Amino acid sequence: IKQCILRSRNYKFRDVILPNETPVIVGRGPQTRIRDRKCSKCQVQITALYKSKKAIIRQLGTNPSEVDSGLLAADQELEVVDGCNINLLEGDLKYTLEFLTTEPETRSKHKHSSRTPGATSKKLKLSSSPPRYDDTSTPQEECSPSIGEASASKEDISLQDSIADEETSLETLHQSVVRDFNSLSTQDRWEEYDHSKIFIFTPAGIKGQNKVAAFDLDHTIITTQSGRVFPTSTDDWKIFYAEIPGRIKKLHNEGFKIVIFTNQKGISRGKTSAPDFKKKIQRIVQKLGVPIQALVSTGHGKYRKPNTGMWDYLLQKCNQGIPIDVKSSIYVGDAAGRLENWAPKKKKDFSCADRLFALNVGLQFYTPEEFFLGQKPANYKMPLFDPRNIRTTTLAVKCLPLPKEDLNSDTIFASSSEMVVFVGFPAAGKSHFALSYLIPKGYVHINRDTLGTWQKCVSEASKALSNGQKVVIDNTNPDLESRKRYIEVAQKFKVPCRCFLFDCSLEQAKHNNVFRELMNPDDKHVGVNDMVLNSYKGKFVEPSLKEGFTSIIKVNFIPQFKNKNEEKLFKRFLIEK
């Protein structure tokens, strides 16, 4: 055995050389270029045993690592063999253990790869005994020195300085590292990123370009051989139109980088085999005869079109640092919002995701029929909610009883005890409104998500009104029955009961919901699914004074943003139709 390497399956992270019978600490830091704070700086200790082609891995970090789909408990040791898959975090930061019998290939992205096989990298943390460690993930987090290293030598200090210097230069090196690595790539490769939410296929020899010709996959590049809408197997496909291969080769010869962006939610749902789908992509690229990069969104979230996560990833990490001229680039897809019978006997498009994706990025958009067959553009329908056109400045309007009256932050609240009942879709901005305008004015906030049942909400409302307080009921309250119980409590204590009706459509509520999830992907707040939103719409009855309300206030949706990036994201189309 010439060398043992912990080989990263994601080119952005470094391989780690494992010297014979020498414990090596692997984790977050310049040694690996891992920055995910869920990964400890002392995540695992690995000792390679060249003679037996095995290694001993010991779990050190708080968050468990994964070995061939089995999790490592804290301080657990496990013997692993050549070819074993080691994930430093569950399902992420993926590596493979490799014992090499020949001189290893050098890779320019690893500074230590040019050393002789028997040499020890200066970046490795070596210990002769089990290390002590601190998993608090503070900036000062470091492994404690092993026995026999009580005093730091000049070489240790020099090593610390070199690591610090390297950390400050990582960002400036990133583009050149990616460019050098990609230019030397001689094999097709697959990568998975962000807990496998996105797959990236990069064929051998593909180069970054300043203009991109991008395509959807299903019903754009391919269709089913069986004639069904969804493929019956991995092999159930054929090129959609005979004109496609020639047109794509022409684009390639004109200097376009060819890219596929495809939504494949079935992968995360377990309905589509990830390995089989990867093979399918490679066969399609081989059939087309030109190098094509493919980015695959495997579920919900920022990578799923019409969101721009896949495009952003291409721009930042998959084009060798070359900026892309959006105005010279194009996107072709079939999800274009076309109406029924846009062509004879053609059904309406299932969504508008491809057209909206192109609009969000700023790309010139074509349908497959327009681009490959030269057909005239068909009529289409844009989503009912356009996030670019929210221009309301009035906070709220008292609609009933007449006359109407504009209300602002100084006139929206009452000076004495009252009941305010919210009515509106989930994700309509109700809780934010209460937190911004009513709770600071002394209103008792009552919410079913917090209390659990409507009975507890009624009880808490009665208690607050009995103490002469002001109350806001922050629930959806779509129908007469849900509102009646609070109106009766207000009448019992002889206080006014105002209805605040949030002016938010079903489509806007869906948009707001996706925006909230994209802005706070790790938030404990559970996202609302379409079934809940559609259920509200089905139950909704327009509030009226006859129910017992003293007035009905229409609350306008006025988004507030912390920065320009939030505003930019909100004004993109985030839902597919």
Side-chain angles (χ1 to χ4, degrees):
I1 300 298
K2 295 287 186 180
Q3 194 173 62
C4 180
I5 291 180
L6 189 64
R7 181 83 70 185
S8 173
R9 284 182 273 163
N10 186 329
Y11 70 86
K12 70 179 284 189
F13 301 130
R14 284 177 163 165
D15 298 344
V16 179
I17 296 174
L18 303 173
N20 186 32
E21 298 182 357
T22 307
V24 177
I25 304 299
V26 182
R28 187 178 80 250
Q31 172 196 6
T32 57
R33 281 201 172 142
I34 292 171
R35 292 188 169 187
D36 190 334
R37 300 197 70 81
K38 293 190 290 293
C39 178
S40 170
K41 289 186 177 181
C42 303
Q43 182 67 9
V44 295
Q45 174 185 281
I46 303 177
T47 306
L49 307 173
Y50 285 21
K51 186 175 181 180
S52 61
K53 291 182 66 174
K54 294 181 180 180
I56 305 297
I57 180 170
R58 181 185 176 192
Q59 177 67 29
L60 302 179
T62 301
N63 295 315
S65 302
E66 188 175 20
V67 177
D68 282 340
S69 300
L71 297 182
L72 285 177
D75 211 34
Q76 179 183 354
E77 284 191 356
L78 188 66
E79 186 177 75
V80 294
V81 298
D82 185 24
C84 174
N85 294 320
I86 299 173
N87 303 338
L88 296 187
L89 292 175
E90 183 179 0
D92 199 12
L93 306 180
K94 301 179 179 181
Y95 288 80
T96 301
L97 185 71
E98 296 181 7
F99 285 90
L100 307 179
T101 56
T102 58
E103 294 291 334
E105 293 183 9
T106 60
R107 300 211 304 194
S108 62
K109 78 184 187 107
H110 303 307
K111 290 185 177 180
H112 61 261
S113 62
S114 61
R115 294 182 172 88
T116 58
T120 299
S121 168
K122 280 190 176 181
K123 295 178 180 64
L124 297 178
K125 295 176 183 176
L126 308 180
S127 66
S128 57
S129 61
R132 298 167 56 207
Y133 50 92
D134 178 6
D135 278 316
T136 55
S137 295
T138 62
Q140 291 80 23
E141 177 190 45
E142 287 293 344
C143 291
S144 299
S146 61
I147 299 172
E149 293 180 339
S151 59
S153 65
K154 292 181 179 180
E155 183 179 351
D156 294 329
I157 297 172
S158 176
L159 175 58
Q160 293 173 9
D161 291 342
S162 67
I163 290 175
D165 291 341
E166 182 169 356
E167 284 179 320
T168 61
S169 63
L170 284 178
E171 290 300 325
T172 58
L173 285 175
H174 177 71
Q175 288 188 354
S176 63
V177 167
V178 174
R179 183 164 56 250
D180 290 344
F181 178 82
N182 285 340
S183 65
L184 291 174
S185 178
T186 58
Q187 294 182 345
D188 296 349
R189 70 177 186 274
W190 277 98
E191 302 158 69
E192 298 178 16
Y193 178 74
D194 198 1
H195 301 279
S196 298
K197 293 176 184 175
I198 180 174
F199 294 171
I200 307 98
F201 172 67
T202 304
I206 196 168
K207 297 180 180 179
Q209 302 289 356
N210 64 358
K211 55 183 180 178
V212 167
F215 301 87
D216 180 41
L217 180 64
D218 297 307
H219 305 290
T220 298
I221 297 295
I222 62 170
T223 189
T224 58
Q225 187 80 41
S226 63
R228 298 187 178 184
V229 175
F230 299 104
T232 58
S233 68
T234 308
D235 298 322
D236 184 18
W237 65 272
K238 65 179 181 178
I239 299 300
F240 196 18
Y241 295 121
E243 294 83 355
I244 289 176
R247 189 66 192 275
I248 288 181
K249 287 178 182 177
K250 185 174 183 292
L251 289 167
H252 175 67
N253 293 335
E254 291 173 351
F256 283 87
K257 181 178 183 179
I258 313 300
V259 180
I260 290 172
F261 295 109
T262 178
N263 290 344
Q264 297 293 332
K265 188 164 58 177
I267 293 176
S268 64
R269 288 181 170 181
K271 295 182 178 180
T272 302
S273 164
D276 288 348
F277 184 79
K278 290 177 179 180
K279 292 176 184 177
K280 178 179 177 179
I281 287 288
Q282 290 180 260
R283 292 185 190 124
I284 293 168
V285 172
Q286 186 178 20
K287 181 79 171 178
L288 293 171
V290 296
I292 300 175
Q293 193 163 50
L295 288 88
V296 183
S297 170
T298 62
H300 290 288
K302 66 180 181 180
Y303 300 110
R304 183 172 176 82
K305 295 177 295 182
N307 298 314
T308 62
M310 286 193 287
W311 175 267
D312 296 336
Y313 192 91
L314 170 73
L315 187 63
Q316 295 167 11
K317 301 182 180 181
C318 295
N319 203 44
Q320 297 168 288
I322 299 172
I324 298 174
D325 182 0
V326 174
K327 292 183 179 179
S328 300
S329 301
I330 62 167
Y331 181 68
V332 181
D334 70 302
R338 291 171 292 184
L339 306 176
E340 189 172 2
N341 293 320
W342 59 266
K345 298 183 179 180
K346 289 287 187 180
K347 295 181 179 180
K348 69 177 183 178
D349 290 339
F350 68 95
S351 84
C352 202
D354 287 322
R355 188 183 296 276
L356 299 178
F357 173 76
L359 187 62
N360 284 339
V361 174
L363 298 167
Q364 178 66 44
F365 176 75
Y366 302 92
T367 64
E369 292 70 26
E370 293 165 14
F371 189 76
F372 295 118
L373 305 182
Q375 294 183 4
K376 292 182 179 179
N379 292 329
Y380 63 92
K381 184 179 180 180
M382 288 288 286
L384 295 175
F385 174 66
D386 189 335
R388 303 168 299 179
N389 295 333
I390 294 183
R391 296 186 175 88
T392 302
T393 56
T394 304
L395 180 63
V397 178
K398 180 179 75 67
C399 298
L400 294 172
L402 296 174
K404 292 185 177 181
E405 177 187 353
D406 289 350
L407 301 175
N408 57 38
S409 59
D410 294 325
T411 57
I412 195 72
F413 61 91
S415 57
S416 58
S417 180
E418 71 160 347
M419 174 88 79
V420 169
V421 177
F422 283 175
V423 176
F425 276 102
K430 301 186 299 298
S431 295
H432 177 77
F433 184 91
L435 184 64
S436 299
Y437 301 106
L438 298 182
I439 295 175
K441 299 300 181 180
Y443 283 76
V444 176
H445 183 236
I446 295 177
N447 179 265
R448 185 169 178 174
D449 290 342
T450 304
L451 296 176
T453 66
W454 66 262
Q455 289 89 344
K456 289 183 179 179
C457 292
V458 169
S459 174
E460 290 299 313
S462 298
K463 187 185 302 183
L465 291 182
S466 68
N467 293 327
Q469 295 175 290
K470 297 177 286 188
V471 174
V472 53
I473 306 298
D474 178 13
N475 300 328
T476 58
N477 301 314
D479 52 21
L480 298 175
E481 181 181 2
S482 61
R483 300 191 288 258
K484 181 181 178 181
R485 55 182 67 113
Y486 300 111
I487 295 171
E488 289 178 346
V489 171
Q491 291 172 342
K492 175 183 177 181
F493 289 96
K494 298 180 180 181
V495 298
C497 185
R498 293 192 293 166
C499 173
F500 280 34
L501 175 61
F502 285 74
D503 187 21
C504 176
S505 67
L506 172 63
E507 292 75 22
Q508 182 175 346
K510 290 181 178 180
H511 177 93
N512 293 349
N513 184 51
V514 174
F515 174 75
R516 183 167 63 187
E517 290 179 353
L518 292 176
M519 288 304 304
N520 303 288
D522 300 323
D523 194 355
K524 294 182 180 179
H525 191 289
V526 179
V528 182
N529 61 43
D530 286 355
M531 185 182 299
V532 173
L533 294 169
N534 292 329
S535 174
Y536 174 91
K537 184 178 181 181
K539 294 179 180 178
F540 177 73
V541 177
E542 185 82 20
S544 70
L545 295 178
K546 292 180 181 179
E547 296 178 54
F549 290 117
T550 52
S551 63
I552 296 176
I553 314 297
K554 186 185 78 172
V555 179
N556 294 317
F557 183 81
I558 304 177
Q560 298 176 354
F561 308 108
K562 297 177 183 177
N563 51 57
K564 290 292 184 181
N565 288 334
E566 279 194 10
E567 182 177 5
K568 184 178 179 181
L569 176 61
F570 183 86
K571 291 185 176 180
R572 288 176 178 167
F573 290 90
L574 303 180
I575 57 176
E576 300 176 28
K577 51 188 175 181

